[in-house]
Amino acid sequence: MMRESEQKAAAKAFAETWKGRGYEKGETHSFWLSLLRDVYGVAYPEGFIFFEEQVDLSHKSFIDASIPETHVMIEQKSLGKDLSKPIKQSDGTTLTPYQQAKRYAAELPYSKRPRWIVASNFAEFRVYDMENPQAEPEIILLENLDKEYYRLQFLVNVKSRDAKKEMEISLAAGEIVGKLYDALLKQYKDPTNEESLKSLNKLCVRLVFCLYAEDAEIFGRRNMFRDYLKSFQPQNVRRGLIDLFEILATPDDKRDPYINDNLKEFPYVNGGLFEDGKIEIPNFTDEILNLLLQHASEDFNWSGISPTIFGAVFESTLNPETRRAGGMHYTSIENIHKVIDPLFLDDLKKELETLKELKQPKTRKQKMKEFQEKLASLTFLDPASGSGNFLTETYISLRRLENEALKEQFGAEIVLGDLDNPIRVSIGQFYGIEINDFAVTVAKTALWIAEAQMMEETEGIVHMNLDFLPLKSYANVVEGNALRLDWGEVVPRDKVDYIMGNPPFVASTGRVSNENSHAKGMLSDQQKADKIKIFGKKGGILDYVACWYKVAAEYMKGTNAKAAFVSTNSICQGQQVAPLWKPLFEQGVKIHFAHQTFKWESESSKTATVFVVIVGFTYVQCGSYLYSGDKKSAVNNINGYLINADNVFIEKRKEPLSDVPVMVRGFQATDGGNLILSIKDRNELIKKEPQAEKWLRPFMMGKDFIDRKPRYCLWLLDITPNELNKLPLVKKRVADCKEWREKQTKSGDAYKLKDIPHLLRPFKQYNNVPYIAVPKVSSGMRKYIPMDYLPSEVIPGDKLFIVQGAEIYHFGVMMSNVHMAWQNIVCSKYGPSYSYSSSLAYHNFPWPNPTDAQKQTIEQTAQAILDARAKYPDASLADLYDETTMPPELRKAHQANDRAVMAAYGFDTKISEAECVAKLMERYRQLSCRE
């Protein structure tokens, strides 16, 4: 692999070679082959990238280039082509290069769809992350490639290929453990007994360590454990394991001199792993012994597992219920590095690269020793450590840096026997707090495995044998509730340098944002008590993960420590921002880096999509960096919404900040399903009772509105008793509604409405006039939230917000990309979906002060949007606002409307979404101060 300086030079040479060149039809192949080979070190790029693959036989569509291994699709244009400008296609549509590639991608099977789309014109690369399709593209200029080559590293991602192999091995190991666990569980006298289950967990940990130790030759030779087990009949294996575990826990000088020969060769392990000799071990069967000897030993090599991944898989395999109940979840290695790299690792890597450039060998060697000592002096804490994957990956990363330093010190020298162990970094530098006792054991074991693997790498560098056994026993990963423990008792405040982790994702509303989110877990009584202890009654709206931010901030006071956590993105959206971040900022906390919302996936086989942020914070005055995808930007300040703007807090407001009509929520039908009718029910009612049609009105919730498929409701506001008696089927529905309401909780709204069962719900703010309707929830895959005018006869449900008396000007501003950018930041989201809020997004929205001419232009562009929609009367809003099927004239109308609204604000049309929101927040702050 090329050094940083070498890759930088290669990127500069490539950019100079291709400056001013680039013809799509003739030079695409040579451009990309050279880039991959010369800059990114792909030895045989011809077998790595593929050109002109046909996508759709009927349309004769071809992908310019693709890299299957890293899930990249490339749409190449000639030099000088504007990558943001739509180009007419063979079918008459006009699409930008990105939209063109996206349409190709839609034709592919899901397994072959790209993670990345790159649009290029030789002078510029536009990178689109399909896990965050609404984000602005990253733009890398060829002329800057020597400074920004790392931003295209995803093209090859060699580390990812190695990690994929490790992950496959680790997942396979997890499956083996799962089978072994199930088989052993059946042999326990009482498989439900808590102590028996704890014993089984410990037994599995010990067996895995032995399997790993023999394959990694920690025991001295391969297959030592398997050969030992082979010497027993199934009925004697239990006794054999009891004897073995006792030997592994006994120092050589304290062993019985008369022990059997097959036990003598096993070394003393120590570390506490085998010390508890009282665990319950069941009898073995032929099936279990075969599983252990054949599948777990002979057919599988444990030395290739990733301790980071396997620790998570191991715990996931054996404790699914515990994990689900506690809201625990596991972070991929890639996402761990999104935390630890900007927290400390990037700086350490840069420091090491600088030392490598020192010309004087003696000075360089001395500086490398000092660098080692610096690494050995750092202390890390994960206060929600789970199976230890953050601690393990951080340890591995530090040891790899240390090994690089050792290479610079020793090179090809043969080290003689007078050298002490050259390793300075120790697992004793890593501390954790974990509520689950089994996870604590797994974390310690994962660290030991990581230590063994890294020691083997070091032996290859210094050319000497290093002693791994006996294990060193560290009590640094402790069992306990991190929100009840004093972290200072685990590691003193003045000793810790970095705090990191992935605390539980249980939401305040009862959602559990992990791979088992479908289970709809609720905060336990203990977790509710934890939150009250940390925040008092003020923390009701906050997700459980917010507790770790508050406790960490208190723990870090008066120190130079830095912290970073993976968290639900909801703590940086909507109503949660002010109660969490306002007091933290007031006491001096600063967000020094953050990854804006991205899609997170577990290493577990039970993956689910979760959208998260990563927030790094400290009391130390330092630079601030924002990450959007892989794009890193230096910024002046990161506020609680994770944008480059002042620390502004958008709190709920009942009335608009600007001079615009109020927004209210539609009717909440509290009727037990008796007054709302499907189309089928409505038709049947009219067929049997034609006079009822007079009393039926279209009724729309959010989905009905977007799909343009209304339901109906009985609108009986002015009906007289005489009229109702003439409609027995309608009267029956009213009676059923009354009966339902009378059965509800007496303190609730439904019961209070029992005496007016013919009404959906009183709604004094509904004026029976046309209104703009806004769905409360809609797909985040759309560029715009679909909004529309509805006639007064359509009754809005409570999943619609309405603005009565709104002008076409208001519609234009609300449908603009400026308003979308605002709501994207200040509103919460449900996963990838927009969740609009009248009290946060609309009432706080800082409207522009347009001139008469600007206002007239917005009115015209807004009407053009409605006119473009009207050309497709059979299309739903879902059809019209699907990015793939949006009609060209509607897209063009929106683009014109966006420009008109941005002009009213005085914004440059090339402004990014983040810059747009920053300016809106400044305007909001100014308007708020005037109140």
Side-chain angles (χ1 to χ4, degrees), residues 463-679:
H463 308 289
M464 64 179 291
N465 293 323
L466 303 172
D467 293 327
F468 175 65
L469 295 177
L471 298 176
K472 296 173 182 64
S473 181
Y474 293 104
N476 294 357
V477 183
V478 302
E479 179 187 346
N481 182 343
L483 302 181
R484 299 280 173 169
L485 277 178
D486 178 356
W487 295 7
E489 293 180 0
V490 178
V491 52
R493 291 189 321 122
D494 59 354
K495 183 179 178 182
V496 75
D497 294 287
Y498 301 104
I499 304 164
M500 65 217 174
N502 191 359
F505 281 7
V506 187
S508 61
T509 56
R511 302 185 312 277
V512 180
S513 303
N514 63 10
E515 63 267 34
N516 294 294
S517 56
H518 61 274
K520 292 189 177 180
M522 298 290 290
L523 280 172
S524 69
D525 290 342
Q526 177 66 60
Q527 290 167 334
K528 290 176 184 176
D530 290 341
K531 241 174 69 166
I532 291 173
K533 175 182 178 291
I534 305 302
F535 289 104
K537 294 182 180 180
K538 296 180 180 179
I541 194 66
L542 291 170
D543 286 355
Y544 191 51
V545 69
C547 296
W548 272 261
Y549 284 84
K550 180 75 182 301
V551 176
E554 293 296 328
Y555 174 70
M556 293 160 59
K557 271 185 182 177
T559 75
N560 292 324
K562 295 181 178 180
F565 294 131
V566 182
S567 312
T568 40
N569 60 357
S570 49
I571 67 162
C572 293
Q573 296 174 346
Q575 296 181 62
Q576 296 199 44
V577 176
L580 175 60
W581 292 107
K582 194 172 185 179
L584 293 184
F585 289 162
E586 287 173 352
Q587 68 188 43
V589 168
K590 165 190 172 69
I591 297 178
H592 69 98
F593 80 88
H595 280 268
Q596 294 169 326
T597 297
F598 65 96
K599 187 163 72 172
W600 173 95
E601 289 181 352
S602 162
E603 294 291 9
S604 166
S605 59
K606 298 179 181 179
T607 57
T609 299
V610 179
F611 289 84
V612 303
V613 293
I614 294 170
V615 185
F617 56 104
T618 183
Y619 288 93
V620 178
Q621 290 304 308
C622 55
S624 299
Y625 298 92
L626 260 180
Y627 294 79
S628 178
D630 289 335
K631 182 181 179 181
K632 176 183 177 182
S633 303
V635 295
N636 295 325
N637 182 65
I638 302 174
N639 69 13
Y641 299 91
L642 304 190
I643 64 170
N644 178 19
D646 290 340
N647 293 331
V648 173
F649 298 97
I650 314 298
E651 301 189 60
K652 295 176 75 171
R653 182 185 291 268
K654 292 182 179 180
E655 300 289 334
L657 176 66
S658 302
D659 184 18
V660 293
V662 70
M663 177 181 278
V664 294
R665 191 174 66 164
F667 288 84
Q668 182 178 353
T670 314
D671 67 325
N674 293 294
L675 304 183
I676 306 296
L677 291 78
S678 66
I679 293 176

Side-chain angles (χ1 to χ4, degrees), residues 253-268:
D253 60 350
K254 294 184 179 179
R255 291 182 177 182
D256 184 345
Y258 300 102
I259 59 172
N260 294 333
D261 290 341
N262 60 355
L263 283 172
K264 282 182 180 178
E265 61 179 338
F266 282 98
Y268 171 45

Side-chain angles (χ1 to χ4, degrees), residues 232-518:
F232 295 98
Q233 293 298 313
Q235 63 270 24
N236 297 324
V237 171
R238 177 180 180 276
R239 182 70 255 172
L241 286 176
I242 292 171
D243 292 341
L244 175 62
F245 294 161
E246 183 180 349
I247 284 295
L248 293 174
T250 306
D252 293 341
D253 60 350
K254 294 184 179 179
R255 291 182 177 182
D256 184 345
Y258 300 102
I259 59 172
N260 294 333
D261 290 341
N262 60 355
L263 283 172
K264 282 182 180 178
E265 61 179 338
F266 282 98
Y268 171 45
V269 172
N270 194 17
L273 185 57
F274 297 97
E275 283 180 357
D276 184 2
K278 297 179 181 179
I279 70 166
E280 182 183 355
I281 300 176
N283 288 318
F284 277 54
T285 63
D286 287 329
E287 175 197 358
I288 298 172
L289 187 57
N290 180 65
L291 180 62
L292 198 53
L293 292 174
Q294 189 66 40
H295 297 291
S297 184
E298 190 167 333
D299 296 343
F300 192 79
N301 187 341
W302 292 80
S303 64
I305 64 171
S306 160
T308 303
I309 300 169
F310 180 63
V313 173
F314 195 6
E315 187 189 355
S316 174
T317 301
L318 302 192
N319 265 334
E321 294 303 321
T322 304
R323 182 186 71 253
R324 185 156 53 239
M328 290 187 287
H329 44 283
Y330 309 113
T331 315
S332 69
I333 290 177
E334 178 185 2
N335 287 341
I336 289 172
H337 278 277
K338 286 180 179 177
V339 175
I340 67 175
D341 286 5
L343 185 60
F344 58 86
L345 199 57
D346 283 343
D347 288 341
L348 291 174
K349 286 179 177 179
K350 286 179 184 176
E351 184 176 348
L352 180 61
E353 288 299 319
T354 300
L355 297 181
K356 285 181 180 179
E357 300 299 323
L358 294 173
K359 303 300 182 184
Q360 175 56 248
K362 186 175 180 180
T363 302
R364 185 169 66 249
K365 187 171 183 177
Q366 178 59 36
K367 291 296 182 182
M368 288 296 174
K369 287 182 179 179
E370 293 172 6
F371 181 71
Q372 264 192 281
E373 295 302 328
K374 177 178 178 176
L375 295 180
S377 71
L378 300 176
T379 303
F380 303 84
L381 170 65
D382 182 348
S385 60
S387 54
N389 50 358
F390 267 87
L391 297 175
T392 305
E393 185 60 26
T394 300
Y395 169 78
I396 290 171
S397 299
L398 254 65
R399 285 285 288 108
R400 283 182 175 147
L401 289 179
E402 182 175 37
N403 280 345
E404 285 291 310
L406 289 171
K407 282 181 187 176
E408 294 295 323
Q409 291 179 60
F410 298 109
E413 294 179 23
I414 301 296
V415 178
L416 301 178
D418 59 350
L419 181 70
D420 291 333
N421 187 335
I423 298 172
R424 295 291 177 266
V425 175
S426 160
I427 58 176
Q429 298 168 231
F430 298 85
Y431 293 78
I433 305 170
E434 170 54 37
I435 199 167
N436 180 271
D437 63 328
F438 176 59
V440 171
T441 303
V442 172
K444 291 178 179 178
T445 306
L447 280 166
W448 282 325
I449 291 175
E451 185 179 34
Q453 290 181 344
M454 296 313 301
M455 187 172 286
E456 184 178 358
E457 288 188 22
T458 304
E459 287 178 337
I461 294 168
V462 300
H463 308 289
M464 64 179 291
N465 293 323
L466 303 172
D467 293 327
F468 175 65
L469 295 177
L471 298 176
K472 296 173 182 64
S473 181
Y474 293 104
N476 294 357
V477 183
V478 302
E479 179 187 346
N481 182 343
L483 302 181
R484 299 280 173 169
L485 277 178
D486 178 356
W487 295 7
E489 293 180 0
V490 178
V491 52
R493 291 189 321 122
D494 59 354
K495 183 179 178 182
V496 75
D497 294 287
Y498 301 104
I499 304 164
M500 65 217 174
N502 191 359
F505 281 7
V506 187
S508 61
T509 56
R511 302 185 312 277
V512 180
S513 303
N514 63 10
E515 63 267 34
N516 294 294
S517 56
H518 61 274

Side-chain angles (χ1 to χ4, degrees), residues 22-247:
Y23 175 55
E24 178 186 350
K25 299 298 182 185
E27 296 184 300
T28 295
H29 290 213
S30 54
F31 177 80
W32 284 96
L33 290 171
S34 175
L35 178 68
L36 293 170
R37 180 181 55 249
D38 301 332
V39 179
Y40 295 100
V42 179
Y44 181 61
E46 292 82 359
F48 187 66
I49 186 171
F50 299 91
F51 299 95
E52 298 295 331
E53 290 188 293
Q54 194 162 2
V55 180
D56 185 346
L57 295 175
S58 61
H59 290 92
K60 296 182 180 179
S61 301
F62 293 86
I63 300 172
D64 288 339
S66 65
I67 307 175
E69 190 166 338
T70 50
H71 303 283
V72 175
M73 178 182 286
I74 298 163
E75 184 62 28
Q76 184 67 43
K77 300 300 177 188
S78 294
L79 183 69
K81 292 286 185 181
D82 187 344
L83 296 176
S84 62
K85 186 176 181 181
I87 301 168
K88 191 171 184 179
Q89 308 296 304
S90 58
D91 61 359
T93 60
T94 56
L95 300 172
T96 65
Y98 165 60
Q99 292 165 348
Q100 187 178 344
K102 194 175 177 184
R103 186 164 73 171
Y104 293 160
E107 301 285 343
L108 297 173
Y110 278 99
S111 61
K112 294 186 178 180
R113 291 186 183 180
R115 158 71 193 277
W116 311 96
I117 289 178
V118 180
S120 172
N121 61 4
F122 292 90
E124 177 184 327
F125 304 88
R126 292 197 175 195
V127 181
Y128 299 83
D129 182 353
M130 302 313 292
E131 289 191 353
N132 193 7
Q134 295 304 324
E136 296 289 324
E138 289 190 49
I139 298 177
I140 301 105
L141 300 179
L142 179 70
E143 64 187 55
N144 296 332
L145 193 62
D146 62 324
K147 304 179 191 70
E148 299 189 332
Y149 63 88
Y150 62 90
R151 292 173 62 191
L152 289 175
Q153 193 69 39
F154 67 90
L155 293 170
V156 292
N157 211 356
V158 177
K159 289 183 180 179
S160 177
R161 282 183 274 167
D162 294 339
K164 182 180 178 183
K165 183 179 178 182
E166 282 187 334
M167 184 167 69
E168 288 172 351
I169 294 171
S170 301
L171 290 172
E175 289 180 10
I176 291 171
V177 172
K179 290 176 182 177
L180 189 61
Y181 180 93
D182 291 340
L184 286 166
L185 180 62
K186 295 175 185 176
Q187 301 307 307
Y188 278 86
K189 297 292 185 184
D190 182 2
T192 63
N193 180 271
E194 186 176 338
E195 290 304 315
S196 295
L197 291 175
K198 286 185 177 181
S199 288
L200 176 55
N201 287 337
K202 288 181 180 179
L203 175 60
C204 287
V205 170
R206 292 181 182 187
L207 291 174
V208 164
F209 182 85
C210 290
L211 290 164
Y212 176 82
E214 69 170 358
D215 283 344
E217 300 185 21
I218 292 171
F219 279 161
R221 65 174 176 84
R222 290 182 65 84
N223 301 326
M224 186 188 297
F225 180 56
R226 185 178 62 174
D227 291 345
Y228 175 75
L229 291 180
K230 271 186 173 181
S231 67
F232 295 98
Q233 293 298 313
Q235 63 270 24
N236 297 324
V237 171
R238 177 180 180 276
R239 182 70 255 172
L241 286 176
I242 292 171
D243 292 341
L244 175 62
F245 294 161
E246 183 180 349
I247 284 295

